[in-house]
């Protein structure tokens, strides 16, 4: 039941206008990139590359939290099968700002531990290799504030305080003892959050219970799917809970939104757009990955959104934010990028899925999205999608490269191999790597090549690993019915190879436009074609589908006079020859067909009327009227009007 008293009408109207109006796609992409980038310490990067420690198969956490105080008090219990080959300890990340009170085994025995340099190492020497072990860590303290805030207290616009967490990529250790190794997922979690009575805590998975019998409330959230540590999250504060269900392919899925009480009406207004959104992605890709549980949004006082598993955090119910974080449930959460160099496998896909959603539901917005993204990407000549320097957070979460360019390259890939192969590849990628939970760029390349049975090494080399975009110059001319154009390619970055392009080219004419696709593989290629129209212009990439900057350095115009005009043109019978610049009219004209063969000569009246005979046998639809005035030759294209000819 979603019917609620609408208030804060002004704000509701503002958001309504925002949602109905045009979207600033680039601005939103930049905000998303900024919101999802978190500062990482050098030490954390080093840990990123380390060999794995023990793999937690189940995590139980108990956190006592209140928005009134920046403080955490509780425990975390790691359950794992002891693998002695990974060392005689379990290594975890935990900020030195937090104090460890004790570490216990499941039998209640104190375990030796060492906590410094933001790492916690617990001694496992007393256990046997292969043994199922539970290590329970009790700790408390004031979590540090790193990056944009892995653990924060902030106020909503209405003055209420909220705790929220934002751990990507390594902020988890700021507030709980988490695995050091990036590429390990936890099979399932049980999280208990103790809050002041009356306050709510949102979390991953399903809410099992709220124990409101004591002075505090204890909220139990359970998530039974594999989860990367940085996707474990909670928010605590005054919330209004909105609930609904949506029918998906394999489940009737609960939708659960924790929203500011003051903004409930805004959510109510935008909610109807969400079921078609999740149904679309669910049907396009694999079924929603966490279909036995729920999906939801937790509103939090921070600009942007974050794809916490089954419960995305976001500042407001913005349509683009919603679809972006929803797409991450597949690309990012079900299958996570295997290293920070491959971040585009998370961000580029979530960004492109947003565009595909617009293409389906709001085609005009899709066209605008492509135009905006292309302008943004081409505004700077360099930069590769693959991140070579993962010490640079700016590089990893580059809005222009990891988000926008990656999304446009996916769009180009789709045009290169076709919709069927492209979307099959996306589904195959998710299927293939969902069990491991991680994938790298080479994995995706392999999947796509298998789906299209084609060699895409050069495409990915051009567009993912190398920098820059394509520059294409066009020269063109038309001689009667032969249209000839020459395309010359270079790149915006000298060191890059020429780009492999499937280039859309629009041939404009008075009879209408023709779109052709050219496979551009050489630095210079010449094309000749017979046409039955007079080409008036050639437009490279008319619908912004390719990362190409086009230049018409020199247009070789056809031998067409600007001094005279034929009207009407096309025509089926007679036409008038009009002098545009005051030159005299000829007494007669010669007519040639498209092959340059003389068809006849015709008188011109003093009023310019050219008496073309109705029974004249036109061999081609394009003809030329040629005449000479003062020893100067003038040519005018004449088009036979097919509709009215007889
Ligand atoms: Zn994202």
């Amino acid at each position: 039941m979603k019917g609620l008293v609408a208030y804060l009408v002004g704000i509701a109207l503002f958001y309504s206008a925002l949602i109905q109006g045009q979207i600033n796609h680039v601005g939103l992409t930049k905000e998303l990139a900024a919101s999802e980038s978190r500062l990482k310490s050098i030490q954390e990067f080093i840990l990123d590359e380390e060999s794995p420690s023990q793999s937690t198969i189940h995590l139980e956490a108990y956190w006592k939290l209140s928005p009134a105080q920046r403080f955490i008090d509780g425990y975390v219990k790691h359950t794992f099968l002891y693998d002695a080959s990974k060392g005689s300890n379990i290594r975890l990340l935990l900020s030195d700002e937090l104090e460890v009170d004790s570490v216990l085994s499941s039998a209640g025995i104190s375990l030796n531990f060492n906590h410094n340099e933001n790492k916690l190492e617990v001694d496992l020497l007393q256990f046997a290799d292969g043994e199922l072990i539970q290590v329970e860590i009790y700790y408390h303290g004031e979590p540090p504030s790193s990056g944009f805030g892995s653990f924060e207290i902030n106020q909503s616009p209405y003055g209420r305080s909220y705790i929220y967490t934002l751990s990507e990529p390594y902020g988890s250790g700021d507030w709980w003892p988490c695995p050091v190794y990036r590429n390990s997922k936890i099979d399932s979690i049980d999280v208990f959050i103790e809050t002041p009575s009356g306050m709510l805590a949102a979390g991953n998975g399903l809410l099992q219970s709220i124990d409101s019998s004591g002075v505090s409330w204890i909220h139990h959230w359970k998530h039974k799917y594999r989860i990367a540590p940085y996707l474990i999250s909670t928010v605590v504060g005054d919330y209004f809970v909105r609930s609904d269900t949506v029918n998906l392919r394999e489940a009737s899925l609960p939708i659960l939104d924790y929203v500011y009480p003051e903004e409930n009406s805004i959510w109510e207004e935008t909610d109807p757009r969400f079921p078609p959104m999740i149904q679309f992605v669910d049907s396009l890709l694999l079924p929603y990955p966490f279909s036995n549980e729920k999906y939801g949004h937790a509103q939090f006082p921070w600009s942007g959104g974050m794809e916490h598993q089954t419960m995305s955090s976001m500042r407001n119910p913005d349509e683009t934010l919603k679809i972006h974080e929803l797409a991450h449930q597949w690309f990012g959460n079900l299958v996570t990028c295997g290293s920070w160099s491959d971040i585009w496998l998370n961000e580029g896909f979530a960004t492109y899925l947003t565009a595909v959603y617009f293409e389906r539901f709001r085609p005009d917005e899709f066209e605008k999205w492509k135009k905006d993204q292309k302008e943004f990407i081409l505004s700077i000549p360099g930069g590769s999608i693959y991140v070579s320097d993962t010490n640079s957070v700016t590089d990893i979460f580059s809005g222009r490269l990891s988000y926008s360019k990656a999304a446009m390259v996916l769009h180009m890939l789709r045009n290169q191999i076709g919709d069927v192969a492209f979307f099959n590849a996306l589904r195959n990628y998710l299927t293939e790597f969902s069990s491991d939970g991680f994938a790298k760029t080479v994995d995706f390349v392999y999947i796509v090549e298998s789906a299209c049975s084609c060699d895409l090494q050069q495409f990915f080399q051009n567009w993912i690993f190398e920098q820059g975009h394509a520059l294409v110059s066009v020269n063109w001319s038309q001689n009667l019915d032969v249209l000839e154009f020459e395309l010359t390619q270079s790149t915006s970055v000298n060191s890059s190879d020429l780009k492999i392009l499937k280039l859309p080219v629009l041939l404009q004419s008075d009879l209408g436009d023709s779109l052709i696709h050219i496979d551009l593989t050489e630095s210079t290629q010449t094309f000749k074609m017979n046409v039955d129209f007079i080409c008036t212009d050639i437009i490279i990439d008319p619908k912004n589908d390719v990362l190409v900057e086009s230049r018409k350095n020199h247009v070789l115009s056809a031998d067409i006079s600007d001094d005279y005009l034929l009207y009407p043109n096309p025509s089926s019978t007679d036409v008038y020859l009009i002098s545009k610049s005051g030159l005299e009219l000829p007494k007669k004209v010669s007519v040639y067909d498209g092959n340059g063969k003389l068809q006849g000569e015709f008188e011109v009246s003093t009023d310019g009327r050219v008496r073309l005979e109705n029974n004249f046998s036109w061999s081609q639809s394009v003809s030329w009227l040629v005449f000479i005035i003062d020893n100067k030759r003038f040519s005018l294209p004449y088009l036979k009007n097919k509709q009215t000819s007889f």
Side-chain angles (χ1 to χ4, degrees):
M1 179 85 180
K2 295 198 297 180
L4 295 159
V5 179
Y7 51 112
L8 290 168
V9 175
I11 292 171
L13 288 176
F14 167 74
Y15 277 114
S16 173
L18 185 74
I19 286 158
Q20 297 302 327
Q22 286 213 310
I23 297 169
N24 179 351
H25 293 288
V26 167
L28 286 168
T29 303
K30 286 178 179 172
E31 277 186 31
L32 277 169
S35 74
E36 292 176 350
S37 74
R38 316 276 173 265
L39 291 179
K40 301 190 288 184
S41 71
I42 294 299
Q43 178 210 9
E44 288 165 342
F45 278 108
I46 293 167
L47 288 168
D48 190 16
E49 304 304 325
E50 281 189 2
S51 58
S53 178
Q54 310 299 327
S55 299
T56 301
I57 55 179
H58 181 262
L59 181 85
E60 182 180 307
Y62 189 103
W63 294 311
K64 188 174 178 183
L65 301 171
S66 168
Q69 189 183 14
R70 184 186 183 84
F71 198 79
I72 189 165
D73 186 5
Y75 72 83
V76 159
K77 188 196 297 182
H78 287 266
T79 302
F80 55 94
L81 284 168
Y82 177 34
D83 182 350
S85 71
K86 294 177 178 174
S88 59
N89 57 21
I90 178 168
R91 289 180 293 126
L92 303 164
L93 278 176
L94 185 65
S95 168
D96 291 343
E97 309 276 319
L98 301 173
E99 187 173 337
V100 176
D101 302 311
S102 60
V103 180
L104 303 175
S105 72
S106 54
I109 299 167
S110 276
L111 301 175
N112 292 329
F113 64 90
N114 182 24
H115 181 207
N116 61 43
E117 295 184 340
N118 299 315
K119 275 188 284 187
L120 175 67
E121 295 180 351
V122 180
D123 197 350
L124 302 175
L125 277 172
Q126 62 192 286
F127 299 103
D129 190 16
E131 192 175 342
L132 185 70
I133 297 178
Q134 287 186 325
V135 169
E136 205 165 340
I137 301 151
Y138 289 83
Y139 67 104
H140 71 274
E142 183 178 335
S145 177
S146 72
F148 286 88
S150 45
F151 182 100
E152 287 294 332
I153 296 177
N154 226 325
Q155 286 194 335
S156 73
Y158 314 98
R160 298 181 197 263
S161 291
Y162 293 84
I163 284 184
Y164 63 86
T165 66
L166 240 167
S167 299
E168 191 189 26
Y170 277 105
S172 304
D174 290 340
W175 59 285
W176 63 277
C178 73
V180 291
Y181 186 53
R182 182 187 182 284
N183 289 10
S184 66
K185 288 191 176 180
I186 300 167
D187 291 345
S188 60
I189 61 174
D190 278 273
V191 173
F192 299 85
I193 301 162
E194 185 179 331
T195 70
S197 69
M199 284 199 175
L200 297 182
N204 309 103
L206 286 177
L207 181 64
Q208 305 298 301
S209 60
I210 299 177
D211 179 354
S212 55
S213 58
V215 290
S216 301
W217 286 13
I218 300 168
H219 314 254
H220 176 197
W221 287 91
K222 189 181 197 68
H223 184 49
K224 296 205 281 189
Y225 291 90
R226 299 187 72 214
I227 184 169
Y230 76 88
L231 294 167
I232 295 174
S233 174
T234 188
V235 293
V236 174
D238 295 321
Y239 280 109
F240 190 94
V241 179
R242 302 182 59 79
S243 60
D244 197 357
T245 57
V246 58
N247 290 322
L248 301 181
R249 264 197 288 177
E250 293 187 351
S252 181
L253 188 75
I255 305 295
L256 207 57
D257 293 340
Y258 280 55
V259 309
Y260 297 157
E262 296 87 350
E263 295 196 2
N264 182 49
S265 59
I266 297 172
W267 285 79
E268 184 174 28
E269 188 172 337
T270 56
D271 266 0
R273 290 187 181 216
F274 187 70
M277 193 183 284
I278 191 169
Q279 284 166 335
F280 174 66
V281 186
D282 178 79
S283 60
L284 182 70
L285 304 174
L286 301 188
Y288 175 67
F290 316 108
S291 58
N292 291 333
E293 298 185 352
K294 63 105 172 47
Y295 184 69
H297 307 94
Q299 197 165 13
F300 72 156
W302 190 78
S303 177
M306 177 62 208
E307 66 269 21
H308 295 125
Q309 197 153 303
T310 71
M311 183 60 107
S312 292
S313 305
M314 62 183 54
R315 134 195 89 165
N316 62 42
D318 177 273
E319 187 180 21
T320 303
L321 263 182
K322 275 190 172 180
I323 182 70
H324 181 97
E325 307 307 347
L326 175 68
H328 269 313
Q329 303 302 314
W330 286 263
F331 294 103
N333 297 4
L334 178 64
V335 178
T336 309
C337 60
S339 82
W340 296 117
S341 292
D342 305 284
I343 185 70
W344 76 281
L345 295 175
N346 286 17
E347 300 306 342
F349 284 68
T351 305
Y352 189 54
L353 258 291
T354 305
V356 174
Y357 163 79
F358 282 127
E359 182 186 25
R360 167 70 179 78
F361 291 99
R362 299 168 67 182
D364 289 349
E365 209 57 60
F366 178 58
E367 295 304 322
K368 184 173 182 299
W369 180 90
K370 288 190 293 179
K371 181 173 179 292
D372 289 353
Q373 301 295 338
K374 183 173 170 177
E375 281 176 6
F376 178 39
I377 297 159
L378 267 52
S379 64
I380 296 173
S384 72
I385 290 171
Y386 190 80
V387 182
S388 53
D389 179 10
T390 51
N391 282 304
S392 166
V393 174
T394 311
D395 283 3
I396 294 174
F397 291 98
S398 160
R400 191 177 73 87
L401 300 172
S402 301
Y403 290 66
S404 295
K405 188 177 180 186
M408 276 301 290
V409 167
L410 285 171
H411 181 63
M412 288 162 59
L413 175 66
R414 177 182 167 193
N415 287 335
Q416 187 86 19
I417 65 176
D419 275 13
V420 172
F422 178 78
F423 288 107
N424 277 341
L426 296 197
R427 288 184 283 268
N428 294 346
Y429 167 78
L430 292 167
T431 304
E432 182 83 19
F433 295 99
S434 58
S435 57
D436 183 59
F438 295 94
K440 294 193 169 189
T441 299
V442 289
D443 300 321
F444 181 66
V445 174
Y446 167 76
I447 291 289
V448 181
E449 287 189 325
S450 302
C452 69
S453 301
C454 55
D455 179 356
L456 292 167
Q457 295 296 316
Q458 192 60 40
F459 178 90
F460 282 102
Q461 180 65 24
N462 280 164
W463 292 108
I464 300 296
F465 295 103
E466 289 180 353
Q467 300 191 45
H469 54 265
L471 307 176
V472 171
S473 300
V474 57
N475 295 327
W476 65 276
S477 63
Q478 182 169 3
N479 188 7
L480 301 180
D481 65 341
V482 178
L483 179 66
E484 188 171 350
F485 52 94
E486 181 187 80
L487 297 172
T488 305
Q489 193 202 160
S490 58
T491 63
S492 62
V493 175
N494 288 336
S495 58
S496 292
D497 288 344
L498 291 178
K499 311 293 185 192
I500 297 289
L501 289 177
K502 194 180 209 47
L503 192 65
V505 175
L506 187 71
L507 308 177
Q508 290 188 322
S509 82
D510 292 341
L511 289 179
D513 298 342
S514 308
L515 184 67
I516 58 173
H517 289 86
I518 293 175
D519 286 316
L520 209 55
T521 54
E522 309 291 335
S523 58
T524 300
Q525 285 174 252
T526 304
F527 301 87
K528 243 182 206 183
M529 60 181 69
N530 289 315
V531 294
D532 60 355
F533 53 80
I534 303 299
C535 188
T536 54
D537 203 358
I538 290 182
I539 310 291
I540 302 291
D541 190 31
K543 299 191 83 176
N544 302 301
D545 293 301
V546 179
L547 293 178
V548 61
E549 203 174 329
S550 63
R551 295 172 182 170
K552 277 185 273 190
N553 294 330
H554 177 55
V555 176
L556 300 171
S557 62
D559 179 23
I560 299 173
S561 170
D562 279 336
D563 295 316
Y564 294 92
L565 176 72
L566 281 179
Y567 181 84
N569 189 8
S571 171
S572 59
T573 56
D574 294 352
V575 291
Y576 285 85
L577 182 60
I578 299 166
S579 171
K580 290 162 65 182
S581 51
L583 293 176
E584 64 175 297
L585 295 174
K587 298 284 188 291
K588 64 179 180 182
V589 297
S590 304
V591 174
Y592 293 83
D593 69 10
N595 294 322
K597 188 178 175 188
L598 181 64
Q599 299 295 300
E601 293 190 332
F602 301 89
E603 298 293 327
V604 180
S605 311
T606 53
D607 62 354
R609 185 173 185 178
V610 183
R611 294 186 175 280
L612 301 172
E613 296 158 8
N614 284 347
N615 59 357
F616 188 81
S617 174
W618 303 101
S619 59
Q620 293 183 1
S621 60
V622 180
S623 296
W624 295 84
L625 267 68
V626 177
F627 53 91
I628 293 173
I629 298 282
D630 291 340
N631 296 321
K632 190 174 176 188
R633 187 173 185 269
F634 295 88
S635 302
L636 291 171
Y638 170 72
L639 304 176
K640 181 185 177 187
N641 189 330
K642 292 172 182 172
Q643 264 83 44
T644 56
S645 63
F646 51 86

